[in-house]
Amino acid sequence: MVFDWQEEWNISFAGCGFRSIYYVGALSCILERVPQLVHGASKICGASSGCLVAAALTVGIPIELCVAILTAAKEARKHTLGVFHPTFSLLRTLQVTLLDKLPEDAHLRASGKLCVSLTRMVDGQNVLVSEFASREDLIQVLMCSCFFPAYSGFTAPSYQGVRYMDGALSNNVPLCEQRNTIIVAPFSGESDICPREGTYNFFEASYGNVSIQVNTGNVHRICTSFLPQKPETLAEICYNGYKDALRFLRERGEFFI
């Protein structure tokens, strides 16, 4: 993308399961070096786990996000079948975390700033939500966007009487069509902040508007997105996010000074 400080800009986080810890590293770099890039964004968007990152930024709790991801992964790893163990519910864990971490005025902070991608169950159409009447509504929207059928359970959550599922299934990077949207994803491809592969890629696929190169690195990243990783692996993913964000800032140094 060609960045322009004179225009409004957005940041969009792709859904990526447990690999969302990548965003913690990327954001640590940006907030340390060019905080205005986050604080001055018109919209902060996300789908699936990416919307949790976006929400954490808009309501002012980015550090708690890191703890929540590590806690969820640790809890899942306690069970033999991980997230598929009958006594573990990823959606319930998410709900408890949101109820505990989101401030009482979270919906006021998020309205107009946060943009969440949802997929309507009845017809598979994408819906973007940016206004939240209450804290409860905000929590329901986030849970809807994170519900992946079978993986998260078998009964989809609802928002305003309508059932929704994972926003990544219909639009994984909200507002990606706008020229001044910075796309962040933990899969190598054409996103603004993403991993770089050392070899040339002839093939590229698109998942919910996210550009993903067809290579062994991405196959591993996608498969492990659904599996809770060891703390040391999560730390490595987080560090890679920091490095990739730093490269993005350096490559566009004429803007970020």
Side-chain angles (χ1 to χ4, degrees):
M1 63 167 287
V2 178
F3 194 83
D4 187 351
W5 280 117
Q6 304 307 311
E7 298 180 13
E8 289 188 346
W9 69 89
N10 313 300
I11 303 177
S12 195
F13 298 95
C16 56
F18 286 103
R19 280 197 168 261
S20 54
I21 196 74
Y22 176 91
Y23 299 140
V24 176
L27 287 169
S28 295
C29 177
I30 294 172
L31 291 171
E32 172 188 302
R33 296 166 184 268
V34 195
Q36 178 60 15
L37 192 62
V38 170
H39 300 319
S42 177
K43 286 277 198 307
I44 299 180
C45 321
S48 193
S49 60
C51 78
L52 301 179
V53 179
L57 283 174
T58 57
V59 304
I61 56 167
I63 300 302
E64 283 83 345
L65 170 70
C66 180
V67 177
I69 295 171
L70 291 171
T71 300
K74 183 179 179 181
E75 285 300 312
R77 286 180 61 82
K78 287 181 180 178
H79 305 287
T80 308
L81 300 175
V83 295
F84 298 105
H85 195 279
T87 62
F88 181 81
S89 170
L90 196 58
L91 206 63
R92 185 173 64 245
T93 300
L94 171 60
Q95 183 180 36
V96 169
T97 299
L98 292 173
L99 286 169
D100 179 52
K101 300 296 183 183
L102 291 182
E104 290 302 316
D105 64 344
H107 59 293
L108 300 177
R109 301 188 197 185
S111 288
K113 182 88 168 180
L114 174 65
C115 180
V116 181
S117 174
L118 306 177
T119 301
R120 199 160 49 211
M121 286 286 290
V122 67
D123 58 7
Q125 291 299 302
N126 183 250
V127 175
L128 298 180
V129 182
S130 287
E131 298 294 332
F132 311 93
S134 65
R135 180 172 179 265
E136 291 70 27
D137 272 2
L138 172 59
I139 290 174
Q140 282 303 118
V141 168
L142 296 175
M143 289 178 61
C144 285
S145 186
C146 292
F147 178 80
F148 197 94
Y151 178 78
S152 304
F154 296 96
T155 303
S158 62
Y159 167 61
Q160 295 185 345
V162 179
R163 293 195 181 278
Y164 294 94
M165 57 184 174
D166 200 314
L169 297 173
S170 56
N171 185 357
N172 204 10
V173 277
L175 305 187
C176 65
E177 70 282 357
Q178 297 190 15
R179 189 176 69 89
N180 237 21
T181 293
I182 298 168
I183 299 173
V184 193
F187 311 111
S188 63
E190 297 301 316
S191 299
D192 297 292
I193 298 176
C194 69
R196 295 274 180 86
E197 296 293 342
T199 56
Y200 183 79
N201 293 273
F202 293 96
F203 302 104
E204 191 170 301
S206 178
Y207 172 62
N209 295 331
V210 176
S211 160
I212 301 178
Q213 293 170 342
V214 180
N215 54 52
T216 54
N218 272 343
V219 170
H220 173 74
R221 293 184 188 102
I222 292 170
C223 291
T224 55
S225 294
F226 294 94
L227 303 173
Q229 301 297 303
K230 297 178 180 178
E232 54 267 32
T233 302
L234 292 174
E236 182 182 358
I237 295 171
C238 184
Y239 178 60
N240 288 337
Y242 186 98
K243 290 193 301 180
D244 292 338
L246 183 59
R247 183 180 61 243
F248 168 76
L249 296 177
R250 285 175 172 168
E251 287 177 349
R252 293 158 177 80
E254 69 272 23
F255 299 109
F256 306 128
I257 56 175

